Amino acid sequence: MSEALVASSAPVTDTSVTGASGARQFWRRLRAQRAALVAAAVVALLVLVALAAPLLTAIEGQDPTTYHPSLVDSARGGVPVGPLGGIGAGHWLGVEPQTGRDLFARLVYGARVSLGVALAATIVQVVIAVVVGVAAALGNRWVDQLLSRVTEIIVALPLMIMSLALLAIVPGSFPRPVLVALVIGLIAWGTLAKIVRAQTLTLKQLDYVAAARLSGWGTWRIARRELLPGLAAPLITYSALLVPMNIGVEAALSFLGVGVKPPTPSWGQMLTAADVWYQAAPQYLLLPAGALFVTVLALTVLGDGVRVALDPRAASRLRVGTGRRREAKADASVGVPIGGGTGLPRQDAGTPPQDAGTPPQVAGVPRPGASADETKEATA
């Protein structure tokens, strides 16, 4: 037992040191990817704009729900009055057709809803997936079979159809952004749970987990102290990719009319109302669509950068901003062949290849197996 205690206590110290070193290596690898850094800056700016939405709209002097009928031309069907959709000092991005509501105010408040719903849904997915995946991996055979079958059923459920059904039957008095986040989180956790279960089964076989078990630790203490730190990397990686997916789902649900309800602004809801105004007021469609595109693209690139930084063996799916050209130049400068290879010096052009099984020719010494004439020439 004393040996088990020593074996279980040793990895704890090593883990703390390794964790600190691993964090430094992670930041160093992430900083080496320029595309990921740009994406992180864009995401930080979007989050800052969403958090500062009341301050920004107060500076502009507008709010997202006030109607301005005098700023639209009712004779033309509600088209905004003025150039570029009514852009001016009082309305930085113009006004909404028919209602005259300020587009800038609705756009920044829509960022709060879209990003908030996506982050809340991701948190719900991660919590459920960790509980189910770890319980399935650490439980007995019957618990594992039951939770695995439930997870497979959740994975097989069509997300959009189930979300439409659940959102259609819930009373309208329930806060809609909270409801959308809960519905997305409760339906789309299956894939992450399978990843957590597989990773936990792998970690169970490691020596420090076996030592902790021999020292008398309980199952949940082992899970909390030994397994959860090992699950951090895949959870962070997959969560970074879940956020843009959830933003797209929220926008699609709002576009279909079962997501966030007016007057609460949402990018998907703005796209729903803008589908008939793309010719008369194109900025009404382009602004929320562009915001969605930039947000999803930035989060996807950032998620790919986090994945590569946490696992250096995984190649990035990006072609630019990942340092590939710099690595290739560095390899070429030291003689390493580009695209892999043994790293041995390259043979000069024009030199015939030497047989690997034939020893080099030395002056005055006949080579083995030489004929009588070759022997006379070598010894002459």
Side-chain angles (χ1 to χ4, degrees):
M1 181 63 71
S2 61
E3 294 177 358
L5 290 173
V6 172
S8 63
S9 60
V12 174
T13 304
D14 296 338
T15 301
S16 61
V17 176
T18 304
S21 176
R24 288 194 297 267
Q25 292 179 1
F26 167 76
W27 289 116
R28 178 175 56 82
R29 294 177 188 132
L30 188 63
R31 287 196 302 266
Q33 304 180 65
R34 291 173 295 182
L37 291 180
V38 173
V42 173
V43 172
L45 179 61
L46 289 170
V47 173
L48 181 62
V49 168
L51 294 176
L55 176 61
L56 294 175
T57 53
I59 294 174
E60 187 193 22
Q62 303 295 333
D63 63 80
T65 58
T66 301
Y67 284 58
H68 300 91
S70 61
L71 299 179
V72 295
D73 188 357
S74 57
R76 299 173 55 195
V79 177
V81 177
L84 300 177
I87 294 179
H91 300 277
W92 296 347
L93 296 179
V95 297
E96 188 179 56
Q98 289 187 326
T99 63
R101 292 180 294 192
D102 186 75
L103 274 183
F104 176 78
R106 295 188 63 78
L107 196 67
V108 295
Y109 270 94
R112 306 185 84 185
V113 173
S114 297
L115 292 175
V117 168
L119 290 174
T122 302
I123 292 174
V124 173
Q125 289 171 302
V126 170
V127 171
I128 297 176
V130 169
V131 173
V132 174
V134 173
L138 297 181
N140 57 32
R141 185 168 62 90
W142 296 106
V143 173
D144 187 16
Q145 290 292 329
L146 175 62
L147 293 179
S148 297
R149 298 295 82 79
V150 172
T151 302
E152 290 175 0
I153 293 174
I154 294 297
V155 172
L157 290 177
L159 174 60
M160 293 301 299
I161 295 178
M162 294 299 300
S163 300
L164 288 171
L166 293 176
L167 291 172
I169 62 177
V170 176
S173 58
F174 196 91
R176 210 64 180 182
V178 178
L179 178 61
V180 173
L182 289 176
V183 168
I184 297 175
L186 292 174
I187 295 177
W189 54 265
T191 303
L192 183 56
K194 298 180 72 173
I195 295 175
V196 171
R197 176 184 175 274
Q199 187 69 17
T200 305
L201 290 175
T202 303
L203 294 175
K204 280 177 57 177
Q205 310 301 322
L206 299 181
D207 293 339
Y208 67 89
V209 178
R213 188 182 299 111
L214 290 174
S215 65
W217 286 15
T219 301
W220 294 111
R221 186 181 181 186
I222 293 175
R224 186 179 69 255
R225 298 288 298 276
E226 306 292 348
L227 297 179
L228 289 181
L231 294 173
L235 284 176
I236 292 173
T237 300
Y238 201 79
S239 299
L241 298 175
L242 276 177
V243 176
M245 294 172 56
N246 292 335
I247 289 179
V249 173
E250 185 276 328
L253 292 174
S254 298
F255 181 80
L256 294 174
V258 295
V260 179
K261 298 291 185 181
T264 303
S266 169
W267 291 344
Q269 180 197 111
M270 293 174 69
L271 288 174
T272 304
D275 58 350
V276 297
W277 295 98
Y278 63 92
Q279 289 184 342
Q283 81 284 351
Y284 188 32
L285 175 65
L286 294 178
L287 287 174
L292 271 174
F293 175 78
V294 171
T295 304
V296 173
L297 178 62
L299 287 169
T300 303
V301 173
L302 179 59
D304 183 81
V306 170
R307 179 181 64 87
V308 176
L310 289 173
D311 187 5
R313 297 170 298 177
S316 175
R317 293 187 293 266
L318 300 176
R319 296 296 179 183
V320 296
T322 57
R324 286 185 174 185
R325 295 182 178 179
R326 287 176 290 174
E327 293 177 0
K329 290 180 180 179
D331 292 341
S333 64
V334 297
V336 178
I338 298 175
T342 60
L344 297 176
R346 186 178 58 187
Q347 192 170 7
D348 294 337
T351 303
Q354 182 177 337
D355 189 1
T358 303
Q361 180 67 37
V362 180
V365 180
R367 65 180 181 84
S371 61
D373 294 339
E374 292 177 347
T375 303
K376 290 180 180 180
E377 294 178 359
T379 56

PDB file of all heavy atoms in Angstrom, residues 288-302:
ATOM      1  N   PRO A 288     -26.891  41.768 -41.157  1.00  0.00           N
ATOM      2  CA  PRO A 288     -26.921  40.566 -40.306  1.00  0.00           C
ATOM      3  C   PRO A 288     -26.259  39.364 -40.953  1.00  0.00           C
ATOM      4  O   PRO A 288     -25.620  38.557 -40.258  1.00  0.00           O
ATOM      5  CB  PRO A 288     -28.419  40.330 -40.064  1.00  0.00           C
ATOM      6  CG  PRO A 288     -29.098  41.035 -41.186  1.00  0.00           C
ATOM      7  CD  PRO A 288     -28.249  42.200 -41.526  1.00  0.00           C
ATOM      8  N   ALA A 289     -26.379  39.237 -42.280  1.00  0.00           N
ATOM      9  CA  ALA A 289     -25.718  38.113 -42.948  1.00  0.00           C
ATOM     10  C   ALA A 289     -24.201  38.222 -42.847  1.00  0.00           C
ATOM     11  O   ALA A 289     -23.503  37.229 -42.588  1.00  0.00           O
ATOM     12  CB  ALA A 289     -26.154  38.056 -44.412  1.00  0.00           C
ATOM     13  N   GLY A 290     -23.675  39.439 -43.042  1.00  0.00           N
ATOM     14  CA  GLY A 290     -22.231  39.633 -42.902  1.00  0.00           C
ATOM     15  C   GLY A 290     -21.757  39.399 -41.476  1.00  0.00           C
ATOM     16  O   GLY A 290     -20.686  38.820 -41.250  1.00  0.00           O
ATOM     17  N   ALA A 291     -22.541  39.840 -40.490  1.00  0.00           N
ATOM     18  CA  ALA A 291     -22.163  39.609 -39.091  1.00  0.00           C
ATOM     19  C   ALA A 291     -22.136  38.123 -38.765  1.00  0.00           C
ATOM     20  O   ALA A 291     -21.220  37.632 -38.088  1.00  0.00           O
ATOM     21  CB  ALA A 291     -23.139  40.338 -38.173  1.00  0.00           C
ATOM     22  N   LEU A 292     -23.124  37.384 -39.251  1.00  0.00           N
ATOM     23  CA  LEU A 292     -23.129  35.940 -39.040  1.00  0.00           C
ATOM     24  C   LEU A 292     -21.940  35.271 -39.706  1.00  0.00           C
ATOM     25  O   LEU A 292     -21.276  34.397 -39.121  1.00  0.00           O
ATOM     26  CB  LEU A 292     -24.433  35.343 -39.585  1.00  0.00           C
ATOM     27  CG  LEU A 292     -25.622  35.265 -38.636  1.00  0.00           C
ATOM     28  CD1 LEU A 292     -26.854  34.789 -39.381  1.00  0.00           C
ATOM     29  CD2 LEU A 292     -25.318  34.330 -37.478  1.00  0.00           C
ATOM     30  N   PHE A 293     -21.640  35.680 -40.927  1.00  0.00           N
ATOM     31  CA  PHE A 293     -20.528  35.073 -41.670  1.00  0.00           C
ATOM     32  C   PHE A 293     -19.201  35.320 -40.964  1.00  0.00           C
ATOM     33  O   PHE A 293     -18.403  34.398 -40.771  1.00  0.00           O
ATOM     34  CB  PHE A 293     -20.495  35.639 -43.090  1.00  0.00           C
ATOM     35  CG  PHE A 293     -19.311  35.175 -43.893  1.00  0.00           C
ATOM     36  CD1 PHE A 293     -19.290  33.912 -44.449  1.00  0.00           C
ATOM     37  CD2 PHE A 293     -18.222  36.005 -44.094  1.00  0.00           C
ATOM     38  CE1 PHE A 293     -18.199  33.474 -45.196  1.00  0.00           C
ATOM     39  CE2 PHE A 293     -17.133  35.591 -44.827  1.00  0.00           C
ATOM     40  CZ  PHE A 293     -17.124  34.319 -45.377  1.00  0.00           C
ATOM     41  N   VAL A 294     -18.957  36.560 -40.558  1.00  0.00           N
ATOM     42  CA  VAL A 294     -17.688  36.891 -39.902  1.00  0.00           C
ATOM     43  C   VAL A 294     -17.566  36.152 -38.568  1.00  0.00           C
ATOM     44  O   VAL A 294     -16.501  35.622 -38.222  1.00  0.00           O
ATOM     45  CB  VAL A 294     -17.587  38.412 -39.707  1.00  0.00           C
ATOM     46  CG1 VAL A 294     -16.388  38.768 -38.829  1.00  0.00           C
ATOM     47  CG2 VAL A 294     -17.458  39.111 -41.057  1.00  0.00           C
ATOM     48  N   THR A 295     -18.654  36.094 -37.805  1.00  0.00           N
ATOM     49  CA  THR A 295     -18.604  35.438 -36.497  1.00  0.00           C
ATOM     50  C   THR A 295     -18.337  33.948 -36.632  1.00  0.00           C
ATOM     51  O   THR A 295     -17.466  33.393 -35.936  1.00  0.00           O
ATOM     52  CB  THR A 295     -19.924  35.666 -35.749  1.00  0.00           C
ATOM     53  OG1 THR A 295     -20.173  37.074 -35.647  1.00  0.00           O
ATOM     54  CG2 THR A 295     -19.872  35.057 -34.365  1.00  0.00           C
ATOM     55  N   VAL A 296     -19.069  33.291 -37.498  1.00  0.00           N
ATOM     56  CA  VAL A 296     -18.879  31.845 -37.672  1.00  0.00           C
ATOM     57  C   VAL A 296     -17.494  31.543 -38.229  1.00  0.00           C
ATOM     58  O   VAL A 296     -16.819  30.595 -37.788  1.00  0.00           O
ATOM     59  CB  VAL A 296     -19.989  31.278 -38.580  1.00  0.00           C
ATOM     60  CG1 VAL A 296     -19.717  29.813 -38.925  1.00  0.00           C
ATOM     61  CG2 VAL A 296     -21.347  31.403 -37.907  1.00  0.00           C
ATOM     62  N   LEU A 297     -17.031  32.345 -39.184  1.00  0.00           N
ATOM     63  CA  LEU A 297     -15.708  32.120 -39.754  1.00  0.00           C
ATOM     64  C   LEU A 297     -14.615  32.312 -38.695  1.00  0.00           C
ATOM     65  O   LEU A 297     -13.686  31.495 -38.583  1.00  0.00           O
ATOM     66  CB  LEU A 297     -15.482  33.073 -40.930  1.00  0.00           C
ATOM     67  CG  LEU A 297     -14.109  32.989 -41.610  1.00  0.00           C
ATOM     68  CD1 LEU A 297     -13.888  31.611 -42.214  1.00  0.00           C
ATOM     69  CD2 LEU A 297     -13.977  34.071 -42.682  1.00  0.00           C
ATOM     70  N   ALA A 298     -14.705  33.380 -37.908  1.00  0.00           N
ATOM     71  CA  ALA A 298     -13.686  33.638 -36.885  1.00  0.00           C
ATOM     72  C   ALA A 298     -13.666  32.537 -35.835  1.00  0.00           C
ATOM     73  O   ALA A 298     -12.593  32.065 -35.431  1.00  0.00           O
ATOM     74  CB  ALA A 298     -13.935  35.001 -36.237  1.00  0.00           C
ATOM     75  N   LEU A 299     -14.836  32.100 -35.378  1.00  0.00           N
ATOM     76  CA  LEU A 299     -14.874  31.043 -34.375  1.00  0.00           C
ATOM     77  C   LEU A 299     -14.376  29.723 -34.931  1.00  0.00           C
ATOM     78  O   LEU A 299     -13.725  28.947 -34.229  1.00  0.00           O
ATOM     79  CB  LEU A 299     -16.302  30.895 -33.843  1.00  0.00           C
ATOM     80  CG  LEU A 299     -16.785  32.007 -32.909  1.00  0.00           C
ATOM     81  CD1 LEU A 299     -18.279  31.891 -32.659  1.00  0.00           C
ATOM     82  CD2 LEU A 299     -16.028  31.954 -31.591  1.00  0.00           C
ATOM     83  N   THR A 300     -14.665  29.441 -36.204  1.00  0.00           N
ATOM     84  CA  THR A 300     -14.187  28.201 -36.807  1.00  0.00           C
ATOM     85  C   THR A 300     -12.666  28.205 -36.943  1.00  0.00           C
ATOM     86  O   THR A 300     -11.993  27.209 -36.634  1.00  0.00           O
ATOM     87  CB  THR A 300     -14.834  28.004 -38.183  1.00  0.00           C
ATOM     88  OG1 THR A 300     -16.264  28.004 -38.041  1.00  0.00           O
ATOM     89  CG2 THR A 300     -14.413  26.681 -38.801  1.00  0.00           C
ATOM     90  N   VAL A 301     -12.104  29.316 -37.399  1.00  0.00           N
ATOM     91  CA  VAL A 301     -10.644  29.415 -37.523  1.00  0.00           C
ATOM     92  C   VAL A 301      -9.983  29.339 -36.146  1.00  0.00           C
ATOM     93  O   VAL A 301      -8.953  28.676 -35.967  1.00  0.00           O
ATOM     94  CB  VAL A 301     -10.259  30.724 -38.246  1.00  0.00           C
ATOM     95  CG1 VAL A 301      -8.749  30.918 -38.234  1.00  0.00           C
ATOM     96  CG2 VAL A 301     -10.761  30.697 -39.687  1.00  0.00           C
ATOM     97  N   LEU A 302     -10.580  30.004 -35.148  1.00  0.00           N
ATOM     98  CA  LEU A 302     -10.026  29.939 -33.798  1.00  0.00           C
ATOM     99  C   LEU A 302     -10.098  28.521 -33.249  1.00  0.00           C
ATOM    100  O   LEU A 302      -9.149  28.048 -32.602  1.00  0.00           O
ATOM    101  CB  LEU A 302     -10.783  30.902 -32.890  1.00  0.00           C
ATOM    102  CG  LEU A 302     -10.333  30.941 -31.425  1.00  0.00           C
ATOM    103  CD1 LEU A 302      -8.866  31.340 -31.323  1.00  0.00           C
ATOM    104  CD2 LEU A 302     -11.206  31.901 -30.632  1.00  0.00           C
TER     105      LEU A 302
END
